[in-house]
């Protein structure tokens, strides 16, 4: 079975074509805001143009525009190829990757948000089970709330700087890591905004 994985939720653009869980083609690069221009060419460059039996896409939270670009492309391809489409969350993929080198204890994932806030979520030491809901909190406030000695994700360095202690491991979601969370219940292919009505309004503006 071939699976196309699409991830544009952060500054990274990451796509992978997996065959029975093994990558047979991939693209991963920190492109900043260049997802719209680079996503479809990256998929087209995969073996067989990325043609797969199913698609999974990162539904966030993260960059409002990036999340929506990835989901829109995934929906279009799933419709054109008449194949199933499911979602997964950015924190879950980062946590599972972090667990591979984590020394033990809870895993805290932070992802750069907007308005001076970070998305964050905590997981068990194996990086599989979430122990908190996804939330968005101002960095200054989160510095007094999240005391994990090691922070992971795209917002880790900013939070460690704000706290004045701890270690930061910057991790971007990588589509080739999807097999690490393949056993989790799939999510609907709809955006996780993480900030409520105000975030949804801004996302709509960004996509217009």
């Amino acid at each position: 079975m071939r699976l196309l994985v699409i991830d544009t939720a952060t500054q990274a653009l990451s796509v992978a074509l997996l065959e029975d869980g093994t990558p047979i083609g991939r693209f991963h690069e920190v492109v900043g805001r260049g997802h719209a221009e680079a996503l479809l060419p990256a998929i087209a460059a995969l073996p067989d143009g990325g043609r797969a039996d199913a698609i999974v896409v990162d539904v966030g939270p993260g960059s409002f525009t990036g999340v929506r670009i990835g989901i829109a492309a995934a929906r279009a391809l799933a419709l054109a190829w008449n194949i199933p489409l499911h979602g997964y969350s950015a924190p879950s993929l980062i946590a599972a990757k972090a667990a591979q080198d984590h020394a033990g204890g809870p895993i805290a994932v932070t992802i750069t948000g907007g308005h001076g806030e970070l998305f964050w979520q905590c997981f068990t030491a194996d990086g599989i089970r979430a122990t908190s809901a996804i939330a968005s909190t101002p960095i200054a406030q989160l510095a007094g709330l999240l005391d994990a000695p090691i922070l992971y994700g795209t917002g880790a360095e900013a939070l460690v700087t704000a706290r004045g202690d701890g270690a930061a491991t910057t991790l971007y979601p990588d589509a080739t890591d999807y097999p690490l969370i393949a056993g989790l219940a799939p999510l609907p292919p709809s955006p996780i905004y993480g900030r409520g009505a105000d975030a949804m309004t801004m996302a709509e503006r960004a996509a217009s």
Side-chain angles (χ1 to χ4, degrees), residues 5 16 18 23 93 96-97 100 172-182:
V5 186
L18 310 178
L93 191 60
K97 179 65 173 180
Q100 294 186 316
Y172 295 90
D174 189 328
T176 58
D177 293 327
Y178 178 76
L180 297 174
I181 60 170

Side-chain angles (χ1 to χ4, degrees), residues 4-7 13-17 25-28 39 42-43 46 175:
L4 175 62
V5 186
I6 298 174
D7 202 306
L13 167 59
S14 189
V15 297
L17 188 62
R26 71 183 295 266
F27 176 91
H28 181 88
L39 177 56
I43 294 173
L46 296 172

Side-chain angles (χ1 to χ4, degrees), residues 41-58:
I43 294 173
L46 296 172
D48 298 324
R51 190 66 183 259
D53 302 302
I55 300 174
V56 290
V57 61
D58 191 335

Side-chain angles (χ1 to χ4, degrees), residues 85-122:
L85 169 63
H86 300 293
Y88 64 89
S89 77
S92 66
L93 191 60
I94 292 174
K97 179 65 173 180
Q100 294 186 316
D101 298 313
H102 189 61
I107 291 175
V109 174
T110 61
I111 296 174
T112 304
H115 302 284
E117 298 189 3
L118 295 178
F119 299 109
W120 62 280
Q121 189 172 28
C122 294

Side-chain angles (χ1 to χ4, degrees), residues 61-98:
S63 160
F64 295 143
T65 303
V67 168
R68 291 175 67 83
I69 287 171
I71 291 175
R75 286 176 174 170
L77 291 174
L79 180 63
W81 296 341
N82 192 28
I83 59 176
L85 169 63
H86 300 293
Y88 64 89
S89 77
S92 66
L93 191 60
I94 292 174
K97 179 65 173 180

